[in-house]
Amino acid sequence: MEGNARIWFTPKQKAELWERWKNGQCVADIARALERRNKSGVYWVLALNGGIAPAKSSGDQSPCSRQKMRDRSARPARANS
C-alpha cells in the first residue's frame, strides 16, 4: 500500500504549529505553512492536547529552577494542628 507512511512533526515544527495556532491561524493555513499534504496531522496534534500547548518539560528548565523544584518537594509536610 502506498501513501500510508506517517511523517511525524519535528520539535521545531511543533513549536511553529503552536505559535501559529496561538496567533489565530486556522488548521489549513498551518498545514500549508508546514508543507503538509493535508491538515489531519495538524488537527490531531491540536486535538490530542485540547488546543492548548503542552507545558514545557522539566528538561527545558534551567538548572536553578530544577534545583528549586527539588528543594520544594524535599521539604517535609507541615503537620496540621
Side-chain angles (χ1 to χ4, degrees):
M1 281 206 268
E2 291 183 33
N4 289 336
R6 286 192 179 158
I7 300 172
W8 301 102
F9 289 98
T10 64
K12 185 177 176 182
Q13 287 175 319
K14 283 184 183 177
E16 183 178 350
L17 182 153
W18 287 112
E19 187 62 33
R20 288 176 179 275
W21 180 251
K22 187 173 92 173
N23 290 331
Q25 287 189 10
C26 69
V27 174
D29 289 343
I30 296 170
R32 245 181 262 121
L34 296 175
E35 299 177 353
R36 296 296 172 138
R37 281 189 297 173
N38 57 40
K39 60 188 177 193
S40 64
V42 173
Y43 172 79
W44 282 108
V45 170
L46 295 170
L48 288 172
N49 293 291
I52 301 170
K56 301 230 182 216
S57 68
S58 61
D60 295 344
Q61 293 177 348
S62 68
C64 292
S65 61
R66 282 196 300 264
Q67 184 61 41
K68 287 178 188 176
M69 293 298 283
R70 275 191 225 110
D71 292 346
R72 284 187 202 139
S73 64
R75 284 188 215 149
R78 192 172 69 173
N80 292 333
S81 32

